[in-house]
Each structure stands twice: as C-alpha cells, then as structure tokens.
Amino acid sequence: MVAQVDATAAIWRTDKDVALTGHTRHRHKPSPVSPGFSAPTISGNLTFGPTALAASIARTSTLCDAPPEMLARWRDSELTRVEWLVADGAVFSLSSYVNCLADSERTSFAGHVGAGITDILMNALGYTWRDNAACLSGSLDPHADFIYGGGRVSGHGVVLAEAHGSFAANVSTARMGTRAKNKYSRQVKPYVATMSPHGKIAHGYSIAFGSKPGAAGAFLNVAETMISKPRGTAGPPAASEPVIDSEAVPTPLVLAAHRSNFVIMDAPRVVTWIDWVRTGGEFPYDVSEVGFLRLPYAGRTFLACVDALWPFDEFPFYLDGISHELRWWPHFRGRRLLRRSNQDDFAGWFVMEENAAERFLNSLSAMIRNGRERIPGELELPVVETVGFRLGQESSDAVAPAAEYAYALYRDGLALIGSPPPRRTIGHRTWSPKDGMDTI
C-alpha cells in the first residue's frame, strides 16, 4: 500500500529500506547454464543511503568509452540530482523538486536511479566487476544494460543485468513486475548461455524500480533465470556468499570496471593507459608519474588522485605541510568537490582502498611493460567487504545515519566518502606507468 504524503523539501540524509515487492524466475535450458553455479538468494529489504545511490549512479553512467572529462561532468550532475530529488526519511519518496523537471528529464533521472539501484543490488548479491552490455552486440538489437562478474559466478562466466526505473503517476507493483518480466524476456533471456567478451553468460537479471511522485514508497521487482532442481530432490540449502580476499577475473572485465573507477576518481592519465591496453593505438606520450594522497577514513586507508585536486602539471610533494592539511585544498584545487560549507557533507571524494588500487595499478604497469601482445587472460585482484548498503535484513545498523562515518565502499575497492570529511592525509604515493606503485 502506498500512502499519499506531502513531499518534503529536506535534503536527503536518511537511509532507505526498500522491500522486494516482486520476484519471478524464468525457465531456461540448460539449467543451470554452468554446472555447479548457484545464484545468490534475493530476499528481504535493500537498504542504502544517499552516498551509495549517488556512487552507483556514477559507476553505471561512466561505463562507456566516452572521454573521461565528459564522463566526469555527467557524474557531477547525477550526484547533485540524487541529493535534491529524493526526499529525506526512511521511506523512499521523491522530493517536491522533481516537479521542476521536464518530462524528459524526469524519465532520464528515473532511468539513472534504476541503474543505480541495479548496481547496489548486484553488489549486495556479491558480484564485483562490471561492464556495459553494449559489448554483446554491435547492432541495435535490444540487450541488457550491464555485465557483472566475480562473486558466486567466478569460474562460471558472467551474469547479465537489465535495469529499469520509472517515476510516473501509474507506477505500481503490478506494473513494475510486468516491466521486469517483459524486459527479461526481450533483453536478457536471448543472451543467457551465449558467449560474451568476458565469458559465458551463466545467469540473468531484470530489475525494475519505481516510485510514484507525491507518494511514499517504492517498488522493487526482480526477474531472473530459474535454476532447476533435479526431480525427486529438495536441493541443498541456499549457500551464503563466501567471504574471499581475492578472486580471478577476466582481464577485459577488470579493465572496463577500473576505467569507470578512475574516470570518476578524476584520474584521466590512468584512464589513458587503460585505454591503450584495451584498444591499442598510439603509445601514450605522457609517461610521467601520477600522484595519490593517502587518506585515513573509517579505519581504512584510501587513495585520492592528486589530479582531482591540483590544477598544475606536477604536484610539489615537498610541501608536506600543505599536502597533509586538507583545509588548504580549497585554495589550490582546480576541480570543484561536492562539499558544502556547513560540513554536513552529502558526498566528498571518490577514492579507492589502498590495497585494491595498488594491486590493480601494479598489474596495469606489468601489462604496459610486457606489451599488448602478452596481456594475461585473468587477473587475481583483492575483494573488499561492502559498506553503505545491504540486502536481506529489515534494517541495517551498518548503514544507519547514526553511524560515525557515512560512505559507500564496493567490492572492487572504489569508495565515495561522505561525512565526516577527512581532515588530513598520511602521506602520498606515486604510480609510474612502467614501474608501478612506489613502496611505502
């Protein structure tokens, strides 16, 4: 039941609990597509805060081969819209500001939120790496939006995910359920069990998310591939997601995911090298080092790219007094960071967990040194525990607004730091395209 409410003008701060309002499974032969594959269980509520939704929208909107500078502008726009167009409060609803949008803009915003919810759900299910599913077909044939790998599907291939969002007056659980099923049949099912550039497609999802303007509540409907049990057997109990420290993943999928990550971290020189490894072309002329600041936050150490903060070609690391005191950065940085003067931060920096960044950048340097002809088929990379969202419980203390730190952390190591903002650094690191990361 969706109750009518007056949409609040307050800026969104409170975590949302969105219940799964519909879940259908669709037959497929063979089943399972990959012997031994068992899909993660989808049940309970999806809990997330504004930082997680903003981060996931940025993660999905930058999964294309557009110039990194253009994608960074898209990222900034989407972060601002998420903050202002979703109302505050534990129940998902749209703010009154959504009425300021033209119909086409509202449709676009709904689509981006649907993609963000899909990314949150897929990460909550344990999938790690992502790419745009446009790599499935060079034609206009309809296909799903995203490819995910890692987690339960490691060793079996990848999974497809189709995303849909709707903010219309006729949104209902029945309508979202129909949309999820129709999009599964048309854009997911034809590709299940086929080959993708990242391996066999072992499973598929269609995720529809909707909310009615002026009303409290949201609808989350999922359609996915059915995995049949042998006749006469009850089947084993649903397995929980294993806790792992690292996983082997197809190199092209890693490169696609981390291209997006370093785009939204404002590290265009790293993106240039990723693009050369992925597609070839002229060898990049800029072989200078890329600097990163080490930020302590919530008991972890993250790396923030200096390129996002320093407007000149080289950062003078000898200015340790300035580099360690973040209060000086507003006077020097060339890009605007999403921070407000009242310190009640919605989102600050896109950063990466230090070990995850170091392992990937060292792998990237090895591929640069060895040449594109010797790129390994798989990379073994660390996986971190997610923070800022959860699936399966009525509520989540881990993402509660009373928590000391509000941030979103993904399995591949990318994070969006919210509040409180970090106050100082604990040093710096440099990455050489040919030599890799320096040692601490």
Side-chain angles (χ1 to χ4, degrees):
M1 186 73 179
V2 179
Q4 296 293 322
V5 297
D6 291 326
T8 176
I11 295 175
W12 177 21
R13 286 294 178 272
T14 309
D15 298 315
K16 311 293 187 185
D17 278 325
V18 176
L20 182 66
T21 50
H23 186 198
T24 59
R25 295 177 175 86
H26 298 254
R27 296 182 182 276
H28 193 92
K29 291 183 180 181
S31 182
V33 171
S34 177
F37 172 72
S38 175
T41 301
I42 303 178
S43 63
N45 288 9
L46 183 63
T47 306
F48 58 92
T51 304
L53 183 57
S56 281
I57 290 177
R59 284 161 53 89
T60 51
S61 64
T62 52
L63 276 176
C64 59
D65 291 329
E69 294 80 8
M70 182 179 78
L71 295 176
R73 294 292 182 91
W74 289 357
R75 171 208 62 194
D76 292 347
S77 173
E78 292 303 331
L79 294 178
T80 301
R81 293 208 295 178
V82 167
E83 181 180 21
W84 286 90
L85 298 181
V86 178
D88 200 18
V91 177
F92 189 96
S93 62
L94 298 168
S95 78
S96 59
Y97 299 122
V98 78
N99 297 320
C100 300
L101 301 180
D103 289 346
S104 59
E105 292 177 328
R106 183 184 300 182
T107 299
S108 173
F109 177 62
H112 282 91
V113 171
I117 293 292
T118 296
D119 186 61
I120 291 174
L121 179 59
M122 297 301 285
N123 276 265
L125 291 174
Y127 300 112
T128 307
W129 310 96
R130 67 199 189 280
D131 191 10
N132 193 309
C135 63
L136 288 174
S137 173
S139 69
L140 296 179
D141 291 339
H143 53 71
D145 290 309
F146 309 111
I147 287 177
Y148 284 87
R152 194 74 65 80
V153 81
S154 291
H156 297 280
V158 293
V159 301
L160 278 184
E162 164 66 12
H164 174 70
S166 179
F167 297 149
N170 60 356
V171 165
S172 65
T173 186
R175 188 173 183 84
M176 290 296 97
T178 299
R179 192 63 57 89
K181 288 184 279 190
N182 288 347
K183 283 183 168 288
Y184 178 90
S185 298
R186 187 172 182 223
Q187 294 172 240
V188 177
K189 182 178 175 63
Y191 296 94
V192 175
T194 66
M195 291 298 297
S196 79
H198 307 307
K200 179 181 284 190
I201 297 172
H203 201 69
Y205 300 87
S206 175
I207 299 163
F209 178 81
S211 185
K212 188 180 300 185
F219 306 98
L220 176 61
N221 289 64
V222 178
E224 68 170 306
T225 310
M226 176 185 290
I227 297 180
S228 302
K229 301 184 178 80
R231 287 189 176 182
T233 64
S240 60
E241 179 63 29
V243 178
I244 55 178
D245 296 323
S246 63
E247 59 189 8
V249 60
T251 300
L253 188 57
V254 169
L255 294 174
H258 275 312
R259 183 189 197 273
S260 166
N261 289 342
F262 283 94
V263 162
I264 56 183
M265 286 175 64
D266 280 319
R269 288 188 288 163
V270 176
V271 176
T272 297
W273 285 105
I274 292 174
D275 285 345
W276 178 79
V277 172
R278 293 178 72 202
T279 61
E282 186 176 350
F283 194 78
Y285 71 90
D286 187 355
V287 295
S288 61
E289 294 179 338
V290 178
F292 295 89
L293 297 178
R294 302 181 71 225
L295 302 179
Y297 189 83
R300 299 176 183 266
T301 301
F302 295 96
L303 297 185
C305 184
V306 168
D307 288 356
L309 309 173
W310 187 256
F312 309 110
D313 289 339
E314 295 183 1
F315 176 72
F317 285 118
Y318 55 83
L319 296 178
D320 282 342
I322 291 179
S323 68
H324 288 184
E325 294 293 336
L326 294 181
R327 64 188 176 90
W328 290 103
W329 284 99
H331 303 288
F332 295 110
R333 63 176 179 243
R335 292 179 184 265
R336 179 182 63 85
L337 297 179
L338 298 174
R339 303 177 64 189
R340 289 197 299 274
S341 59
N342 64 4
Q343 303 301 321
D344 182 20
D345 290 73
F346 165 65
W349 284 298
F350 276 103
V351 295
M352 189 171 293
E353 194 273 334
E354 185 173 35
N355 183 45
E358 181 174 12
R359 289 273 295 275
F360 168 71
L361 289 172
N362 281 337
S363 297
L364 180 61
S365 291
M367 289 184 277
I368 294 170
R369 289 193 304 269
N370 295 333
R372 297 188 65 256
E373 298 78 13
R374 300 174 61 186
I375 296 176
E378 290 185 332
L379 296 176
E380 184 84 17
L381 293 176
V383 174
V384 300
E385 185 178 356
T386 60
V387 176
F389 53 91
R390 178 179 292 180
L391 175 68
Q393 297 187 6
E394 291 300 320
S395 62
S396 174
D397 293 337
V399 296
E404 182 179 0
Y405 295 98
Y407 69 112
L409 174 62
Y410 294 82
R411 288 167 59 89
D412 58 11
L414 182 74
L416 177 55
I417 291 178
S419 61
R423 297 300 182 190
R424 62 191 313 276
T425 74
I426 54 174
H428 65 271
R429 304 285 302 274
T430 57
W431 173 70
S432 164
K434 292 188 176 181
D435 299 327
M437 289 290 287
D438 63 349
T439 57
I440 300 176

